[in-house]
Amino acid sequence: MTRLPFYLGVNYPWANYGEDFGVGSAGHRGISRLEMNSIVAKEFARIRDCGVNAVRWFLFADGRGGFISEKDIPRRPDELLFRDVRAALELARRFNLKMCFSLMDYLWLQDPAGYLDSHPNRKVLQFAAGREAFLHRVLIPMFHEFREHPALFAWEIANEREWAIREFHHKPTAKMHFADFRAFAAEVAQAVHEFAGVPATLGSARLDWVRAWSELGLDFYQAHYYPAQDQCKSGLAKQLAALPPLEKPLWLGELPARDATTPDYSLEQSLTECRDAGLLGAAIWRWTEPEQSGTDLHLGHVDPQILQAWNSFSRSRSATV
């Protein structure tokens, strides 16, 4: 059996959540700004030096910036969206990295009534006309603009969208129907294939939810693993072994750098288990330090020395097999 290349990645989820691409509520803070571009260039250099070859980055996040809408209907990308996306891709190419852009975060898909920090685009994805306009007037022009860009790894349709879907998550904020999002996701995947010329994927919150998205025409599956969400406490290796056969490769898009709630968790062991299971790769959450008010503070961030050591060991082991 031919072993797939292993795409070792890190999550550089955002510099400023929802405001890295295009104009946001605080004005333009995007990646094309000289100051921000310089900061990201230094970080990408450090990422490359760890032996990483893929970076996962949230693009629209909760939808607060990057496009113009009127009465909850998207009209067009704003004047700086493409400039910022191009700046990120050019930095990735400069440092020999591949970019996986996650288009939508689950927070944007959840019921806006549950959030006090609303913004003009908050309700865009809550109804079919808004979703269709966003696809045809914002996403497809962007896919076309960056078609087959050499630094693109994939367009990821949404991050952990299950937390916004009532059939998966029984919370008041999860009001979207599975069938509605599934139909929309299938249209986005088709548009990626037709207009972008690169792979399409989705980021599932759990490994056992991956199969729910098996008929969307994705090029590879993506799931996230956190020990605290391992309901059977079986461990990553056993969960991977228990998965039914998948007809497409699997990439673990989020794997914690550490977990203060699970002292025996080992990033090095988890990466090795991913590689031994024949996965397409794994991306560590996260490269940037978590915000002090964030819910992921206990997960820490990447220690470059640990990552470099694992990568060197893994390569040396592969050379002797």
Coordinates of all heavy atoms in Angstrom, one line a residue, residues 19-100:
E19 N -11.1 39.6 11.5 CA -10.7 40.9 10.9 C -9.3 40.8 10.2 O -8.7 41.8 9.9 CB -10.6 41.9 12.0 CG -12.0 42.2 12.7 CD -11.9 43.3 13.7 OE1 -10.8 43.7 14.1 OE2 -13.0 43.8 14.1
D20 N -8.9 39.6 9.9 CA -7.6 39.4 9.2 C -7.7 39.6 7.7 O -6.7 39.9 7.0 CB -7.0 38.0 9.5 CG -6.6 37.8 10.9 OD1 -6.4 38.8 11.6 OD2 -6.6 36.7 11.3
F21 N -9.0 39.5 7.2 CA -9.2 39.6 5.7 C -10.3 40.6 5.4 O -11.5 40.3 5.8 CB -9.4 38.2 5.2 CG -8.3 37.2 5.5 CD1 -8.4 36.4 6.6 CD2 -7.2 37.2 4.7 CE1 -7.4 35.5 6.9 CE2 -6.2 36.3 5.0 CZ -6.3 35.5 6.1
G22 N -10.0 41.7 4.8 CA -11.0 42.7 4.4 C -11.2 43.7 5.6 O -10.4 43.7 6.5
V23 N -12.2 44.5 5.4 CA -12.5 45.5 6.4 C -13.5 45.0 7.4 O -14.6 44.5 7.1 CB -13.1 46.8 5.7 CG1 -13.4 47.9 6.7 CG2 -12.1 47.3 4.6
G24 N -13.2 45.2 8.7 CA -14.0 44.7 9.8 C -14.7 45.9 10.5 O -14.5 47.1 10.1
S25 N -15.3 45.7 11.6 CA -16.0 46.7 12.4 C -15.0 47.7 12.9 O -15.3 48.9 13.2 CB -16.8 46.1 13.5 OG -15.9 45.3 14.3
A26 N -13.7 47.3 13.1 CA -12.7 48.2 13.6 C -11.9 48.8 12.5 O -10.8 49.4 12.8 CB -11.8 47.5 14.6
G27 N -12.3 48.8 11.3 CA -11.6 49.3 10.2 C -10.7 48.2 9.5 O -11.0 47.0 9.7
H28 N -9.7 48.5 8.8 CA -8.8 47.6 8.2 C -7.7 47.2 9.1 O -6.8 48.0 9.4 CB -8.3 48.1 6.8 CG -7.5 47.1 6.1 ND1 -6.3 47.3 5.6 CD2 -7.8 45.8 5.8 CE1 -5.8 46.3 5.0 NE2 -6.7 45.3 5.1
R29 N -7.6 45.9 9.4 CA -6.5 45.4 10.3 C -5.9 44.2 9.6 O -5.2 43.3 10.2 CB -7.1 44.9 11.6 CG -7.9 46.0 12.3 CD -8.5 45.5 13.6 NE -7.5 45.3 14.7 CZ -7.8 44.7 15.8 NH1 -9.1 44.3 16.1 NH2 -6.9 44.5 16.8
G30 N -6.1 44.1 8.3 CA -5.8 42.9 7.5 C -4.3 42.6 7.3 O -3.4 43.4 7.6
I31 N -4.1 41.4 6.7 CA -2.7 40.9 6.5 C -1.9 41.7 5.5 O -0.7 41.7 5.5 CB -2.8 39.4 6.1 CG1 -3.6 38.6 7.1 CG2 -1.4 38.8 6.0 CD1 -3.2 38.8 8.5
S32 N -2.5 42.5 4.6 CA -1.8 43.3 3.6 C -1.2 44.5 4.2 O -0.3 45.2 3.6 CB -2.7 43.6 2.4 OG -3.7 44.5 2.9
R33 N -1.6 44.9 5.4 CA -1.0 46.0 6.1 C 0.5 45.7 6.4 O 0.8 44.6 6.8 CB -1.7 46.4 7.4 CG -3.1 46.9 7.2 CD -3.9 47.1 8.5 NE -3.1 48.0 9.4 CZ -2.7 47.7 10.6 NH1 -2.8 46.5 11.1 NH2 -2.1 48.6 11.3
L34 N 1.3 46.7 6.2 CA 2.8 46.4 6.3 C 3.1 45.9 7.7 O 3.9 44.9 7.8 CB 3.5 47.8 6.1 CG 5.0 47.7 6.1 CD1 5.5 46.7 5.0 CD2 5.7 49.0 5.9
E35 N 2.6 46.4 8.8 CA 2.9 46.0 10.1 C 2.5 44.5 10.3 O 3.3 43.7 10.8 CB 2.3 46.9 11.1 CG 2.6 46.5 12.6 CD 1.8 47.3 13.6 OE1 1.0 48.2 13.2 OE2 2.0 47.1 14.8
M36 N 1.3 44.2 9.9 CA 0.7 42.9 10.1 C 1.5 41.9 9.2 O 1.8 40.8 9.6 CB -0.8 42.9 9.8 CG -1.4 41.5 10.1 SD -1.2 41.0 11.8 CE -2.1 42.3 12.7
N37 N 1.8 42.3 8.0 CA 2.5 41.4 7.1 C 3.8 41.0 7.6 O 4.3 39.9 7.5 CB 2.6 42.1 5.7 CG 3.0 41.2 4.6 OD1 4.2 41.0 4.3 ND2 2.0 40.6 4.0
S38 N 4.5 42.0 8.2 CA 5.8 41.7 8.8 C 5.7 40.7 10.0 O 6.6 39.8 10.1 CB 6.5 43.0 9.3 OG 7.7 42.8 9.9
I39 N 4.7 40.9 10.8 CA 4.5 40.0 11.9 C 4.3 38.6 11.5 O 4.9 37.6 11.9 CB 3.3 40.5 12.8 CG1 3.7 41.8 13.5 CG2 2.9 39.4 13.8 CD1 2.5 42.4 14.2
V40 N 3.4 38.4 10.5 CA 3.1 37.1 10.0 C 4.3 36.5 9.3 O 4.5 35.3 9.4 CB 1.8 37.2 9.0 CG1 1.6 35.8 8.4 CG2 0.6 37.6 9.8
A41 N 5.0 37.3 8.6 CA 6.2 36.7 7.9 C 7.2 36.1 8.9 O 7.7 35.0 8.7 CB 6.9 37.8 7.1
K42 N 7.4 36.8 10.0 CA 8.3 36.2 11.1 C 7.7 34.9 11.6 O 8.5 34.0 11.9 CB 8.5 37.3 12.2 CG 9.3 38.5 11.7 CD 9.4 39.5 12.8 CE 10.1 40.8 12.4 NZ 10.1 41.8 13.4
E43 N 6.4 34.9 11.8 CA 5.8 33.7 12.4 C 5.8 32.5 11.4 O 6.1 31.4 11.7 CB 4.3 33.9 12.8 CG 4.2 34.9 13.9 CD 4.9 34.4 15.2 OE1 4.7 33.3 15.6 OE2 5.6 35.2 15.8
F44 N 5.6 32.8 10.1 CA 5.7 31.8 9.1 C 7.1 31.2 8.9 O 7.3 30.0 8.7 CB 5.2 32.3 7.7 CG 3.7 32.3 7.6 CD1 2.8 32.2 8.7 CD2 3.1 32.3 6.3 CE1 1.5 32.1 8.5 CE2 1.7 32.3 6.1 CZ 0.9 32.1 7.2
A45 N 8.1 32.1 9.1 CA 9.5 31.6 9.1 C 9.7 30.6 10.2 O 10.4 29.6 10.0 CB 10.4 32.8 9.2
R46 N 9.2 30.9 11.4 CA 9.4 30.0 12.5 C 8.6 28.7 12.3 O 9.1 27.6 12.7 CB 8.9 30.7 13.8 CG 9.7 31.9 14.2 CD 9.1 32.5 15.5 NE 9.2 31.6 16.6 CZ 8.2 31.5 17.6 NH1 7.2 32.4 17.5 NH2 8.4 30.7 18.6
I47 N 7.4 28.8 11.7 CA 6.6 27.6 11.4 C 7.4 26.7 10.4 O 7.4 25.5 10.6 CB 5.2 28.1 10.9 CG1 4.4 28.7 12.0 CG2 4.5 26.9 10.2 CD1 3.1 29.3 11.5
R48 N 7.9 27.3 9.4 CA 8.6 26.5 8.4 C 9.8 25.8 9.0 O 10.1 24.7 8.8 CB 9.1 27.5 7.3 CG 10.0 26.8 6.3 CD 10.9 27.8 5.6 NE 11.7 28.6 6.5 CZ 12.3 29.7 6.3 NH1 12.3 30.3 5.1 NH2 13.1 30.3 7.2
D49 N 10.5 26.5 9.9 CA 11.7 26.0 10.6 C 11.4 24.8 11.5 O 12.3 24.0 11.8 CB 12.5 27.1 11.3 CG 13.1 28.1 10.4 OD1 13.2 27.9 9.2 OD2 13.4 29.2 10.9
C50 N 10.1 24.6 11.8 CA 9.7 23.5 12.6 C 9.5 22.2 11.8 O 9.1 21.2 12.3 CB 8.5 23.8 13.4 SG 8.7 25.0 14.8
G51 N 9.6 22.4 10.5 CA 9.3 21.3 9.6 C 7.8 21.2 9.2 O 7.4 20.2 8.7
V52 N 7.0 22.2 9.5 CA 5.6 22.2 9.2 C 5.4 22.6 7.7 O 6.2 23.4 7.1 CB 4.9 23.3 10.1 CG1 3.5 23.5 9.6 CG2 4.9 22.8 11.5
N53 N 4.4 22.0 7.1 CA 4.1 22.3 5.7 C 2.7 22.7 5.4 O 2.4 23.0 4.2 CB 4.5 21.1 4.7 CG 4.0 19.8 5.3 OD1 3.0 19.7 6.0 ND2 4.7 18.7 4.9
A54 N 1.9 22.9 6.4 CA 0.5 23.3 6.2 C 0.1 24.3 7.3 O 0.4 24.0 8.5 CB -0.5 22.2 6.1
V55 N -0.7 25.3 7.0 CA -1.2 26.3 8.0 C -2.7 26.4 7.8 O -3.2 26.6 6.6 CB -0.5 27.6 7.8 CG1 -1.2 28.7 8.7 CG2 1.0 27.6 8.1
R56 N -3.4 26.3 8.8 CA -4.9 26.4 8.8 C -5.3 27.8 9.4 O -4.9 28.1 10.5 CB -5.6 25.3 9.5 CG -7.1 25.3 9.5 CD -7.6 23.9 10.1 NE -9.1 24.0 10.2 CZ -9.8 24.2 11.3 NH1 -9.1 24.5 12.5 NH2 -11.1 24.2 11.4
W57 N -6.1 28.5 8.7 CA -6.4 29.9 9.1 C -7.9 30.2 8.8 O -8.4 29.9 7.8 CB -5.5 30.9 8.2 CG -5.4 32.3 8.8 CD1 -6.3 33.0 9.5 CD2 -4.3 33.2 8.6 NE1 -5.8 34.2 9.8 CE2 -4.6 34.4 9.2 CE3 -3.1 33.1 7.9 CZ2 -3.7 35.5 9.2 CZ3 -2.2 34.1 7.9 CH2 -2.5 35.3 8.6
F58 N -8.6 30.8 9.8 CA -10.0 31.1 9.7 C -10.0 32.4 8.8 O -9.4 33.4 9.1 CB -10.6 31.4 11.1 CG -10.8 30.2 11.9 CD1 -10.1 29.1 11.8 CD2 -11.8 30.3 12.9 CE1 -10.3 28.0 12.6 CE2 -12.0 29.2 13.7 CZ -11.3 28.0 13.6
L59 N -10.9 32.4 7.8 CA -11.0 33.5 6.9 C -12.1 34.5 7.3 O -11.8 35.6 7.8 CB -11.1 33.0 5.4 CG -10.6 34.0 4.4 CD1 -10.3 33.2 3.1 CD2 -11.6 35.0 4.1
F60 N -13.3 34.1 7.1 CA -14.4 35.0 7.5 C -14.8 34.9 8.9 O -15.4 35.8 9.5 CB -15.6 34.8 6.6 CG -15.4 35.2 5.2 CD1 -15.2 34.2 4.2 CD2 -15.5 36.5 4.8 CE1 -15.0 34.6 2.9 CE2 -15.3 36.9 3.4 CZ -15.1 35.9 2.5
A61 N -14.4 33.8 9.6 CA -14.8 33.6 11.0 C -16.3 33.7 11.2 O -17.1 33.0 10.7 CB -13.9 34.5 11.9
D62 N -16.7 34.8 12.0 CA -18.1 35.0 12.3 C -18.7 35.9 11.3 O -19.8 36.4 11.6 CB -18.3 35.4 13.7 CG -17.8 36.8 14.0 OD1 -17.1 37.4 13.2 OD2 -18.0 37.3 15.1
G63 N -18.0 36.2 10.2 CA -18.6 37.1 9.2 C -18.6 38.6 9.4 O -19.2 39.3 8.6
R64 N -17.8 39.0 10.3 CA -17.9 40.4 10.6 C -17.2 41.3 9.6 O -17.3 42.6 9.7 CB -17.3 40.7 12.0 CG -15.8 40.5 12.2 CD -15.3 40.7 13.6 NE -15.9 39.7 14.5 CZ -15.7 39.7 15.8 NH1 -14.9 40.6 16.4 NH2 -16.2 38.7 16.6
G65 N -16.4 40.8 8.7 CA -15.7 41.6 7.7 C -15.5 40.8 6.4 O -15.7 39.6 6.3
G66 N -15.0 41.6 5.4 CA -14.6 41.0 4.2 C -15.6 41.1 3.0 O -15.2 40.9 1.9
F67 N -16.8 41.5 3.3 CA -17.8 41.7 2.2 C -18.8 42.7 2.7 O -19.0 43.0 3.8 CB -18.4 40.4 1.8 CG -19.3 39.8 2.9 CD1 -20.6 39.9 2.9 CD2 -18.7 39.0 3.9 CE1 -21.4 39.3 3.9 CE2 -19.4 38.4 4.9 CZ -20.8 38.6 4.9
I68 N -19.5 43.2 1.7 CA -20.6 44.2 1.9 C -21.9 43.5 1.8 O -22.2 42.7 0.8 CB -20.5 45.3 0.8 CG1 -19.1 45.9 0.8 CG2 -21.6 46.4 1.1 CD1 -18.7 46.6 2.1
S69 N -22.8 43.8 2.7 CA -24.2 43.3 2.6 C -25.2 44.4 2.8 O -24.9 45.4 3.5 CB -24.4 42.1 3.6 OG -24.3 42.6 5.0
E70 N -26.4 44.2 2.3 CA -27.5 45.1 2.5 C -28.7 44.3 2.9 O -29.1 43.4 2.2 CB -27.8 45.9 1.2 CG -26.6 46.8 0.8 CD -26.9 47.5 -0.5 OE1 -28.0 47.4 -1.0 OE2 -26.0 48.2 -1.0
K71 N -29.3 44.6 4.0 CA -30.5 43.9 4.5 C -30.3 42.4 4.6 O -31.1 41.6 4.1 CB -31.7 44.2 3.7 CG -32.1 45.7 3.7 CD -33.3 46.0 2.8 CE -33.7 47.5 2.9 NZ -34.9 47.8 2.1
D72 N -29.1 42.0 5.1 CA -28.7 40.6 5.3 C -28.4 39.9 4.0 O -28.3 38.6 4.0 CB -29.7 39.9 6.1 CG -29.9 40.5 7.5 OD1 -29.0 41.0 8.1 OD2 -31.1 40.5 8.0
I73 N -28.3 40.6 2.9 CA -28.0 39.9 1.6 C -26.6 40.4 1.2 O -26.4 41.6 0.9 CB -29.0 40.3 0.5 CG1 -30.4 39.8 0.9 CG2 -28.6 39.7 -0.8 CD1 -30.5 38.3 1.0
P74 N -25.6 39.5 1.1 CA -24.3 39.9 0.6 C -24.3 40.4 -0.8 O -25.1 39.9 -1.7 CB -23.5 38.5 0.6 CG -24.2 37.7 1.6 CD -25.6 38.1 1.5
R75 N -23.6 41.5 -1.1 CA -23.6 42.1 -2.4 C -22.2 41.9 -3.1 O -22.3 41.6 -4.3 CB -23.8 43.6 -2.2 CG -25.2 44.0 -1.6 CD -26.3 43.5 -2.5 NE -27.6 43.7 -1.9 CZ -28.7 43.3 -2.4 NH1 -28.7 42.5 -3.4 NH2 -29.9 43.5 -1.8
R76 N -21.1 42.0 -2.4 CA -19.8 41.8 -3.1 C -18.7 41.8 -2.0 O -18.9 42.2 -0.9 CB -19.6 43.0 -4.0 CG -19.6 44.4 -3.3 CD -19.3 45.5 -4.2 NE -19.4 46.8 -3.5 CZ -18.5 47.4 -2.7 NH1 -17.3 46.7 -2.5 NH2 -18.7 48.5 -2.1
P77 N -17.5 41.3 -2.4 CA -16.4 41.4 -1.5 C -16.0 42.8 -1.3 O -16.3 43.7 -2.2 CB -15.3 40.7 -2.3 CG -16.0 39.9 -3.3 CD -17.2 40.6 -3.7
D78 N -15.5 43.2 -0.1 CA -15.1 44.6 0.0 C -13.8 44.8 -0.7 O -13.2 43.9 -1.2 CB -15.1 44.9 1.5 CG -13.9 44.3 2.3 OD1 -12.8 44.1 1.7 OD2 -14.1 44.0 3.5
E79 N -13.4 46.1 -0.7 CA -12.2 46.5 -1.6 C -10.9 45.9 -1.1 O -9.9 46.0 -1.9 CB -12.2 48.0 -1.6 CG -11.8 48.7 -0.3 CD -13.0 48.9 0.6 OE1 -14.1 48.4 0.3 OE2 -12.9 49.7 1.5
L80 N -10.8 45.3 0.1 CA -9.5 44.9 0.6 C -9.5 43.4 0.8 O -8.4 42.8 1.2 CB -9.1 45.6 1.9 CG -8.9 47.1 1.7 CD1 -8.7 47.8 3.0 CD2 -7.7 47.3 0.8
L81 N -10.6 42.6 0.6 CA -10.6 41.2 0.9 C -9.5 40.5 0.1 O -8.7 39.7 0.6 CB -12.0 40.6 0.6 CG -12.1 39.1 0.7 CD1 -11.8 38.6 2.1 CD2 -13.4 38.6 0.2
F82 N -9.6 40.6 -1.2 CA -8.7 39.9 -2.1 C -7.2 40.3 -1.8 O -6.3 39.5 -1.9 CB -9.0 40.2 -3.6 CG -10.3 39.5 -4.0 CD1 -10.7 39.7 -5.3 CD2 -11.0 38.7 -3.2 CE1 -11.9 39.2 -5.8 CE2 -12.2 38.1 -3.6 CZ -12.7 38.4 -4.9
R83 N -7.0 41.6 -1.5 CA -5.6 42.0 -1.2 C -5.0 41.3 0.0 O -3.9 40.8 0.0 CB -5.6 43.5 -1.0 CG -4.2 44.1 -0.8 CD -4.2 45.5 -0.4 NE -4.8 46.4 -1.4 CZ -4.9 47.7 -1.3 NH1 -4.4 48.3 -0.1 NH2 -5.5 48.4 -2.2
D84 N -5.9 41.1 1.0 CA -5.4 40.4 2.2 C -5.2 38.9 2.0 O -4.3 38.4 2.5 CB -6.4 40.7 3.4 CG -6.4 42.1 3.9 OD1 -5.3 42.7 3.8 OD2 -7.4 42.6 4.3
V85 N -6.1 38.3 1.3 CA -6.0 36.9 1.0 C -4.7 36.6 0.2 O -4.0 35.7 0.4 CB -7.2 36.3 0.3 CG1 -7.0 34.9 -0.2 CG2 -8.5 36.4 1.2
R86 N -4.5 37.5 -0.8 CA -3.3 37.4 -1.6 C -2.1 37.5 -0.8 O -1.1 36.8 -1.0 CB -3.3 38.4 -2.8 CG -2.2 38.3 -3.7 CD -2.3 39.2 -4.9 NE -3.4 38.9 -5.8 CZ -4.6 39.5 -5.8 NH1 -4.7 40.6 -5.1 NH2 -5.5 39.1 -6.6
A87 N -2.1 38.5 0.1 CA -0.9 38.7 1.0 C -0.6 37.5 1.8 O 0.6 37.1 1.9 CB -1.1 39.9 1.9
A88 N -1.6 36.8 2.3 CA -1.4 35.6 3.1 C -0.8 34.5 2.3 O 0.1 33.7 2.7 CB -2.7 35.2 3.8
L89 N -1.4 34.3 1.1 CA -1.0 33.3 0.2 C 0.5 33.5 -0.3 O 1.3 32.5 -0.4 CB -1.9 33.1 -1.0 CG -3.3 32.5 -0.8 CD1 -4.2 32.7 -1.9 CD2 -3.1 31.0 -0.4
E90 N 0.8 34.7 -0.6 CA 2.2 35.0 -1.0 C 3.2 34.8 0.1 O 4.3 34.3 -0.1 CB 2.3 36.5 -1.5 CG 1.5 36.7 -2.9 CD 2.0 35.7 -3.9 OE1 3.2 35.5 -4.1 OE2 1.1 35.0 -4.5
L91 N 2.8 35.1 1.3 CA 3.7 34.7 2.5 C 3.8 33.2 2.6 O 5.0 32.7 2.8 CB 3.1 35.3 3.8 CG 3.3 36.8 4.0 CD1 2.5 37.3 5.2 CD2 4.8 37.2 4.1
A92 N 2.8 32.5 2.4 CA 2.8 31.0 2.5 C 3.8 30.5 1.4 O 4.6 29.7 1.6 CB 1.4 30.4 2.3
R93 N 3.6 31.0 0.2 CA 4.5 30.6 -0.9 C 6.0 30.9 -0.6 O 6.9 30.1 -0.9 CB 4.1 31.2 -2.2 CG 5.0 30.8 -3.4 CD 4.3 30.9 -4.7 NE 3.8 32.3 -5.0 CZ 3.3 32.6 -6.2 NH1 3.1 31.7 -7.2 NH2 2.8 33.8 -6.4
R94 N 6.2 32.1 -0.1 CA 7.5 32.5 0.2 C 8.2 31.6 1.2 O 9.4 31.3 1.1 CB 7.5 33.9 0.8 CG 8.8 34.5 1.3 CD 8.6 35.9 1.9 NE 9.6 36.4 2.7 CZ 9.6 37.5 3.4 NH1 8.5 38.3 3.4 NH2 10.6 37.9 4.1
F95 N 7.5 31.0 2.1 CA 8.0 30.1 3.2 C 7.7 28.7 2.9 O 7.8 27.8 3.8 CB 7.6 30.6 4.5 CG 8.1 31.9 4.9 CD1 7.3 33.1 4.9 CD2 9.4 32.1 5.3 CE1 7.8 34.3 5.2 CE2 9.9 33.4 5.6 CZ 9.1 34.5 5.6
N96 N 7.3 28.3 1.7 CA 7.1 27.0 1.3 C 6.0 26.3 2.2 O 6.2 25.1 2.6 CB 8.4 26.2 1.3 CG 8.3 24.9 0.4 OD1 7.5 24.9 -0.5 ND2 9.0 23.9 0.8
L97 N 4.9 27.0 2.4 CA 3.8 26.5 3.2 C 2.6 26.4 2.4 O 2.4 27.1 1.4 CB 3.6 27.4 4.4 CG 4.7 27.5 5.4 CD1 4.4 28.7 6.4 CD2 4.9 26.2 6.2
K98 N 1.7 25.5 2.8 CA 0.4 25.4 2.1 C -0.7 25.9 3.0 O -0.7 25.6 4.2 CB 0.1 23.9 1.7 CG 1.0 23.3 0.7 CD 0.6 23.8 -0.7 CE 1.4 23.1 -1.8 NZ 1.0 23.5 -3.1
M99 N -1.7 26.6 2.5 CA -2.7 27.2 3.3 C -4.0 26.5 3.2 O -4.5 26.2 2.1 CB -3.0 28.7 2.8 CG -1.8 29.6 3.0 SD -1.5 29.9 4.8 CE -3.1 30.6 5.3
C100 N -4.6 26.2 4.3 CA -6.0 25.7 4.4 C -6.8 26.8 5.0 O -6.7 27.1 6.2 CB -6.1 24.4 5.2 SG -7.8 23.8 5.4

